[in-house]
Amino acid sequence: MKGETSWISHCFDDMSKEIGGLDSFSELIDEGNKETAAVSVDLILPDDLLERILAFLPIASIFRAGSVCRRWHEIVSSKRFLWNFSNVLSQKPWYFMFTSSDEPVGYAYDPILRKWYGIELPCIQTPNWFIASSCGLVCFMDNDSRSELHVCNPVTKHCKKLEDPPGLKFPDYSALSISVDRTSHNYTVSVVKSKQVPGNFFQWDLSIHIYDSETRMWATSLTEVLTGWRGGDESVICDGILYFLIYSTGGGTPENRHGLVTYSLSGRSSPLLRSFIPVPGPLTCGRLMNLKEKLVVVGGMGKQDRPDIIKGIGIWVLEGRNWNEVARMPHKYFQGFGELDDVFASSGTDDLIYIQSYGAPALLVFDMNQKLWKWAQKCPVSKKFPLQLFTGFCFEPRLEFAP
């Protein structure tokens, strides 16, 4: 038991330093009953009941609680507490914003407490690596060879390097995605590689490679030559289906510059273009995400006469083969980004979607349940030079998942 929980205790020590510990237990209880509640909880409640109460705290408060006293530290570091925590409803996803173009440093935003925390990410070497997340695990892939992959829990810092994937070396385009099973904690990683056929701009080799954490093996699930289309860098797994965007190489109308294709991870699929689903109108860019096993796309809507110029941002959910529009960003928020490029960063999970301009640290949050737009608290970093870029990704902060 001691060996199993030693890494948990170590991660609590590290994260409590990064997030900041409590000055006293009273920060977790009602202001008007500090002393009475402190005595009653600390001396009367048995460990198992206190574990269940602490498990319902926001994860940042759990780390702070571990700084209150030795008893609380042992409770929140125990394996039994992780089991209790795993049965609590999902935590709201955090958003990690890179604040350097060269170093993988930045801050993580907690939407519950509306605070930013300076945390260190393991494994990743530069901010331009490919990043995908699911159920508390984050997958990183290098942007050079596209063959170095790591899966980690950014909260506990537990990290694992995967074997190099098979297939094309140095592809022109790659799309990364990960899906974690909440029950078994096994995970699947997919890499879609796309490379131009030599001497033929209209034909592209495309391959799909799948990693299974249970077998610890890669498999090449599909190889195909696409004519008139190429792969890109957007993919996501929803309910056992791999979705990824493809892009026209033959001009065509603005409505047909992007397309969505699907691939079932559980069985044989027909040729990819048979699963082609048009995107919802002319988009300047599209960002795919899994929200409660539903495919959601956040897209930049192009002007009618200039489809490459963004005029707004929309959110759609795929229902069968049809798109259901959920929301359009109100103009005041669109203007709040200042000069928004035709491409932007966006990711989401659970009920929250984050949208960020590459040119500024402003972060906008959309709640799918409440249909509510809200600016995040200002990130504790400012733009230092005109060409400085900002990007980021969201992840669910969990303690019980390990790669």
Side-chain angles (χ1 to χ4, degrees):
M1 181 70 175
K2 183 177 180 181
E4 291 176 336
T5 59
S6 60
W7 70 270
I8 303 172
S9 179
H10 179 71
C11 89
F12 268 92
D13 291 338
D14 289 345
M15 283 298 291
S16 62
K17 292 176 183 176
E18 293 176 357
I19 292 177
L22 283 173
D23 292 330
S24 68
F25 165 75
S26 60
E27 292 183 29
L28 291 176
I29 60 177
D30 182 76
E31 191 68 25
N33 298 287
K34 293 180 182 178
E35 295 181 3
T36 304
V39 172
S40 61
V41 170
D42 215 28
L43 298 180
I44 297 177
L45 287 183
D47 284 358
D48 58 344
L49 185 54
L50 186 55
E51 284 174 6
R52 296 185 182 185
I53 294 173
L54 293 175
F56 280 90
L57 289 173
I59 194 167
S61 297
I62 291 174
F63 282 106
R64 292 192 180 102
S67 302
V68 170
C69 62
R70 178 178 295 179
R71 181 192 178 202
W72 284 33
H73 186 275
E74 290 175 351
I75 286 176
V76 299
S77 301
S78 69
K79 191 174 182 180
R80 189 170 66 178
F81 178 80
L82 292 187
W83 185 88
N84 282 323
F85 183 79
S86 67
N87 287 281
V88 174
L89 295 176
S90 62
Q91 298 272 329
K92 292 293 184 182
W94 288 8
Y95 188 87
F96 185 91
M97 184 183 297
F98 293 102
T99 56
S100 169
S101 301
D102 304 314
E103 301 293 329
V105 296
Y107 296 89
Y109 179 69
D110 177 353
I112 296 179
L113 301 179
R114 291 179 59 80
K115 290 184 177 181
W116 291 89
Y117 309 115
I119 66 174
E120 296 180 2
L121 295 176
C123 310
I124 185 171
Q125 296 178 16
T126 61
N128 70 342
W129 279 30
F130 293 84
I131 304 173
S133 70
S134 173
C135 294
L137 295 185
V138 179
C139 186
F140 300 117
M141 181 173 70
D142 77 294
N143 198 23
D144 295 323
S145 67
R146 320 277 175 93
S147 61
E148 181 180 345
L149 286 94
H150 301 263
V151 176
C152 79
N153 182 322
V155 174
T156 66
K157 307 295 195 295
H158 204 57
C159 192
K160 177 181 179 180
K161 186 179 187 300
L162 304 185
E163 296 292 326
D164 291 358
L168 299 167
K169 299 297 183 182
F170 302 99
D172 296 321
Y173 296 93
S174 299
L176 175 70
S177 55
I178 182 173
S179 177
V180 180
D181 187 303
R182 289 186 181 271
T183 303
S184 67
H185 290 199
N186 293 326
Y187 57 89
T188 300
V189 176
S190 74
V191 178
V192 181
K193 299 183 178 183
S194 185
K195 191 175 182 67
Q196 183 183 349
V197 173
N200 190 332
F201 181 75
F202 293 100
Q203 289 192 322
W204 290 72
D205 288 315
L206 187 140
S207 57
I208 298 175
H209 312 277
I210 307 297
Y211 177 84
D212 184 342
S213 69
E214 190 172 12
T215 63
R216 301 181 182 180
M217 294 179 62
W218 285 95
T220 299
S221 299
L222 178 141
T223 58
E224 195 170 311
V225 177
L226 299 183
T227 300
W229 297 91
R230 64 163 177 82
D233 56 6
E234 280 292 320
S235 70
V236 71
I237 299 172
C238 294
D239 199 21
I241 304 295
L242 171 64
Y243 297 88
F244 57 96
L245 290 179
I246 57 175
Y247 305 82
S248 172
T249 61
T253 61
E255 289 78 8
N256 294 326
R257 293 196 308 167
H258 301 75
L260 181 75
V261 290
T262 69
Y263 179 81
S264 173
L265 299 180
S266 60
R268 286 183 168 272
S269 293
S270 303
L272 287 176
L273 291 183
R274 290 188 183 178
S275 67
F276 183 92
I277 300 174
V279 297
L283 300 180
T284 62
C285 73
R287 305 295 180 226
L288 305 180
M289 54 201 75
N290 178 344
L291 272 65
K292 295 185 174 178
E293 300 306 322
K294 289 283 190 178
L295 177 69
V296 174
V297 62
V298 178
M301 299 180 295
K303 294 183 177 180
Q304 196 66 33
D305 56 337
R306 294 284 304 279
D308 56 332
I309 303 297
I310 189 170
K311 69 173 183 179
I313 293 177
I315 300 173
W316 297 266
V317 176
L318 185 65
E319 303 284 356
R321 294 179 57 84
N322 299 313
W323 294 102
N324 177 31
E325 184 173 317
V326 175
R328 293 195 182 191
M329 183 185 295
H331 191 62
K332 67 176 183 178
Y333 291 107
F334 185 75
Q335 286 184 316
F337 282 108
E339 187 176 346
L340 188 67
D341 293 330
D342 58 340
V343 294
F344 52 87
S346 182
S347 58
T349 190
D350 194 35
D351 291 319
L352 295 187
I353 295 175
Y354 292 96
I355 301 175
Q356 179 189 3
S357 167
Y358 290 128
L363 182 64
L364 185 62
V365 188
F366 178 72
D367 189 308
M368 289 281 285
N369 269 346
Q370 301 179 18
K371 301 296 185 291
L372 180 66
W373 300 87
K374 182 186 295 185
W375 289 108
Q377 288 291 104
K378 186 178 180 181
C379 183
V381 67
S382 58
K383 192 166 184 174
K384 297 179 181 178
F385 51 90
L387 297 181
Q388 183 177 359
L389 298 179
F390 299 87
T391 187
F393 65 95
C394 84
F395 66 95
E396 188 179 334
R398 304 296 299 185
L399 299 174
E400 72 275 23
F401 290 98

